[in-house]
Amino acid sequence: MRQAGRYLPEYRKLREDTPNFLSFCYSPALTVEAALQPLRRFQPDAAILFSDILVIPDGLGQSVRFEGGVGPVLEPIRSETDLKQLQVSKVLDHLEPVFESVRQLSAALPHNVALIGFAGSPWTVAYYMVEGRSGQDGSTIKKWAIEEPDGFQKLIDILVPVTTDYLIEQIKNGAETIQLFDSWSGLLEAEHFDRWIIQPTREIVAGIKQHNPDVPVIGFPRGAGDQTIKYAENTGVDGIGIDSDISPAWARDNLQGLKTVQGNLDNQILREGGKKLEDETINILQTLSGGPFIFNLGHGILPETPPDNVIRVAEIVRGHHHAST
Ligand code: 1CP
């Protein structure tokens, strides 16, 4: 989960020469280097492609830029008329540099390091497309989805096949596992969660599996709370990523019988370090290692995190693994 990024001095240095973040994402030499940087320091078991979930709206022709200190800024899409501006047929051509990054990264990785490809879920990508920037309460997208579901469905119906094709193409080029980030799934409840989170995710997973039955898909419905259970039961994912609001014991009791659980060290605790970090890492390992489990964070690494804290966690996780096998 965001193992590359601004907490690494070597990444900040690499980014200095390419201030435009999307240009960086479309430069395979740079993305491969950014993806390899954390591997050199921590030797994790998997590497994640360096890209961003917002290359999809960019590829659809929506205006997307990244502003320092603000994050992504998009020209919002808020009506069926706005949808007509999106150019569905050109997306995969536009994203060819991402596939080239996957090819080069796949060739550069040692055989025992898995390559994770990824995309945002339709709901989470739509959140940025409709709200226009991060940190919004989601009232604009929720109003559209709940009050005019037939119109909003058209946006989701654009994103589902595009995202499916995008992920299948990543697999063709060397991705071995797929992760679907649903960072804003916590905005919806009950039947809205079923329609806008579970249903589109199920369609994407089925589309991937039709051609690639053996490629595992990990879903990350951040903020979904108790609804994580029905997500795990009904989307077809193989793994379920949990955020740090979910207790490891709850995940063991409610999710591990259904799917492989991935998570969920708190990124604030990772930043703080010290004994609390060691205790929490051990607690997660002891609670979840009895079943199918992938150690990970509950959300992306914060830019202020000392890399030495990540090294400490990696040592504890590997020590625990060797002690229990
Ligand atoms: O200046 C910089 O270098 C930008 C920081 C940054 C980075 C390193 C952004 C901007 N994106 C990324 C890369 C990224 N994003 C990866 C590559 C893998 C890696 O870092 O190892 C991945 C998997 C993502 C996924 C992503 N982007 C998500 C889903 C996961 C999550 O964090 O919830 C989301 C929501 C985004 C959007 C995004 N990209 C960047 C920012 C600042 C944001 C907004 C985040 C927000 O809304 O809080």
Side-chain angles (χ1 to χ4, degrees):
M1 167 104 43
R2 299 267 207 114
Q3 52 191 19
R6 285 172 293 173
Y7 73 108
L8 293 176
E10 60 270 35
Y11 171 81
R12 291 198 297 269
K13 193 158 183 308
L14 194 65
R15 262 302 303 282
E16 265 171 23
D17 297 332
T18 314
N20 181 323
F21 181 68
L22 279 175
S23 304
F24 189 96
C25 289
Y26 297 139
S27 306
L30 298 174
T31 61
V32 170
E33 173 58 20
L36 293 175
Q37 286 174 342
L39 260 79
R40 295 187 192 114
R41 281 187 185 251
F42 318 120
Q43 295 86 44
D45 299 304
I48 186 158
L49 165 70
F50 192 95
S51 182
D52 197 83
I53 64 167
L54 297 178
V55 296
I56 291 284
D58 183 59
L60 285 166
Q62 186 173 9
S63 160
V64 180
R65 59 201 165 79
F66 286 81
E67 273 181 21
V70 182
V73 179
L74 296 82
E75 189 63 51
I77 282 177
R78 297 201 167 150
S79 66
E80 282 188 65
T81 321
D82 293 347
L83 289 179
K84 298 204 175 80
Q85 298 161 15
L86 300 177
Q87 298 163 331
V88 177
S89 61
K90 295 183 186 150
V91 184
L92 290 192
D93 286 344
H94 181 86
L95 297 175
E96 176 52 32
V98 178
F99 308 133
E100 177 62 25
S101 297
V102 176
R103 282 197 288 281
Q104 291 187 18
L105 183 56
S106 172
L109 288 177
H111 289 297
N112 60 348
V113 177
L115 174 50
I116 306 173
F118 73 91
S121 76
W123 170 257
T124 284
V125 172
Y127 167 91
Y128 291 98
M129 292 177 81
V130 174
E131 297 286 342
R133 53 178 72 203
S134 185
Q136 310 303 302
D137 63 3
S139 52
T140 309
I141 187 174
K142 279 196 330 203
K143 191 168 188 304
W144 190 6
I146 293 169
E147 291 181 7
E148 291 174 66
D150 294 347
F152 184 71
Q153 182 75 51
K154 296 198 168 95
L155 173 54
I156 296 298
D157 286 345
I158 290 173
L159 291 171
V160 166
V162 160
T163 306
T164 307
D165 292 348
Y166 175 57
L167 291 170
I168 289 173
E169 206 56 31
Q170 289 186 31
I171 294 166
K172 275 191 199 153
N173 285 286
E176 297 165 291
T177 295
I178 292 299
Q179 184 146 343
L180 262 180
F181 289 100
D182 213 333
S183 310
W184 297 97
S185 63
L187 294 173
L188 293 176
E189 281 178 69
E191 79 267 24
H192 304 301
F193 187 92
D194 298 345
R195 179 160 182 185
W196 305 120
I197 308 284
I198 291 182
Q199 180 60 27
T201 303
R202 181 169 48 215
E203 287 171 32
I204 291 172
V205 176
I208 293 172
K209 298 271 178 188
Q210 195 185 344
H211 304 281
N212 309 278
D214 299 328
V215 172
V217 180
I218 302 165
F220 175 58
R222 181 165 74 103
D226 290 357
Q227 299 189 105
T228 310
I229 297 173
K230 63 180 180 181
Y231 180 100
E233 283 172 335
N234 297 321
T235 52
V237 295
D238 305 280
I240 184 93
I242 55 170
D243 65 35
S244 306
D245 289 339
I246 289 183
S247 86
W250 187 89
R252 176 195 59 207
D253 298 342
N254 293 284
L255 300 174
Q256 228 173 7
L258 300 167
K259 303 289 166 178
T260 296
V261 169
Q262 173 175 290
N264 76 337
L265 182 68
D266 189 326
N267 57 3
Q268 307 273 4
I269 296 177
L270 179 65
R271 185 187 58 186
E272 286 157 31
K275 180 153 190 319
K276 196 172 170 199
L277 173 60
E278 295 181 355
D279 289 349
E280 186 51 27
T281 303
I282 291 164
N283 173 43
I284 293 169
L285 289 166
Q286 287 181 341
T287 308
L288 287 162
S289 290
F293 173 54
I294 301 165
F295 185 89
N296 197 0
L297 306 185
H299 203 201
I301 301 187
L302 299 166
E304 312 79 28
T305 305
D308 281 351
N309 292 0
V310 184
I311 291 184
R312 185 70 196 114
V313 169
E315 280 170 1
I316 296 172
V317 173
R318 265 193 291 271
H320 185 91
H321 179 70
H322 289 136
S324 60
T325 50

